[in-house]
Amino acid sequence: MRISQLSEQTGVPIPRIKYYIREGLVPRATVTAEDPGGYGSDHVHRVRLVRAMVTIGGMSIASARAVLAELDSPQPQVPVALGQGIIGVNARPGDPDPGGGTPSSRERAAALIDALIADRDWNLAADEPALAPLITAVETMIDTGHEDLLGHLDVYAEAAERIAGADIASLAPTDDPAAIVEKSVLGTVLGSVFIDSLRKLAHSDRARRLFWPAEDIARAAREDSAEAGEFGESGKGPEGA
């Protein structure tokens, strides 16, 4: 297929596909007499994968390149690719900048996280890439005078354990190493989007119920009115249906 067809199948604009190719994220076309376009199903899959990691998941180009290099290796390793995926997610622009607080608050934040990890008996490496931004977030809460909100950390950790358990359970033991790596990375990258988006939606729901209960009352009244109208048009109520 030609690049225009590749764009149509993936929904990714041609300039972006060319950018992926220049950055070494998508292989170049293999032109033959039978296929002058040079793109195939493998290119379709790779473009969709890169889009998921970079455009939707926000992974850096460098991290995506490292993940894909591991994915393309003869024996891809899940820990290596997953580590690169976590680094890529945590290196997105706009993340907290370590070192912005005071040394004392940084030490307190690190101690809180160390205690949380010890209490939950998590088996982690000393240089886990997700630790630094977590400590920075806790440090920021301390510096801004909202340390009381840190009482929810254990709730977050409990939810994280359940989510991680579900993620790992989705990895079939029969999957080949490349499939496991791909699922792990996508689960990490897009899972962050899932969690963040669902949490914001849940916040909106809880806030409306707490601060604007009149909206719920009005909505219920509208639903009752619409239901009554339907019964009126049919001439039957629940008993006569």
Side-chain angles (χ1 to χ4, degrees):
M1 71 177 76
R2 298 185 181 280
I3 194 169
S4 58
Q5 295 171 301
L6 179 60
S7 175
E8 289 175 4
Q9 287 199 27
T10 60
V12 177
I14 292 176
R16 185 168 296 166
I17 293 177
K18 290 182 176 180
Y19 172 68
Y20 290 164
I21 294 172
R22 286 198 305 272
E23 292 294 330
L25 305 178
V26 173
R28 296 184 180 279
T30 304
V31 179
T32 63
E34 295 77 18
D35 182 12
Y39 296 102
S41 58
D42 289 346
H43 290 91
V44 172
H45 181 75
R46 178 55 64 91
V47 169
R48 287 173 174 166
L49 178 60
V50 172
R51 176 178 178 269
M53 292 193 299
V54 176
T55 305
I56 299 176
M59 181 181 287
S60 69
I61 293 294
S63 293
R65 190 183 295 112
V67 168
L68 294 171
E70 184 63 31
L71 188 62
D72 292 336
S73 66
Q75 293 183 320
Q77 299 295 314
V78 175
V80 175
L82 192 55
Q84 290 293 340
I86 294 173
I87 291 172
V89 172
N90 288 329
R92 288 179 295 181
D95 279 352
D97 180 21
T102 62
S104 60
S105 61
R106 185 78 180 175
E107 290 172 3
R108 288 174 59 197
L112 280 172
I113 297 305
D114 285 345
L116 178 69
I117 291 171
D119 288 344
R120 306 203 73 87
D121 195 27
W122 284 357
N123 181 13
L124 304 176
D127 58 348
E128 292 284 348
L131 277 175
L134 176 59
I135 292 173
T136 299
V138 172
E139 175 190 12
T140 303
M141 284 292 192
I142 294 173
D143 282 340
T144 55
H146 296 292
E147 192 169 348
D148 56 308
L149 294 177
L150 298 177
H152 302 322
L153 275 178
D154 204 54
V155 176
Y156 293 152
E158 178 68 29
E161 283 186 356
R162 294 183 61 186
I163 292 169
D167 288 343
I168 297 301
S170 69
L171 300 177
T174 55
D175 284 343
D176 63 80
I180 292 176
V181 168
E182 189 170 312
K183 286 182 179 179
S184 299
V185 172
L186 285 179
T188 299
V189 176
L190 298 184
S192 296
V193 178
F194 296 159
I195 295 168
D196 186 49
S197 298
L198 288 170
R199 179 170 175 263
K200 288 174 180 175
L201 291 173
H203 276 175
S204 181
D205 171 69
R206 293 302 175 93
R208 288 180 179 279
R209 292 177 186 275
L210 178 62
F211 299 110
W212 297 288
E215 286 191 3
D216 285 339
I217 297 173
R219 180 174 57 188
R222 288 194 300 271
E223 291 173 353
D224 289 343
S225 177
E227 185 175 333
E230 290 175 4
F231 289 144
E233 291 175 3
S234 63
K236 297 180 180 181
E239 296 82 2

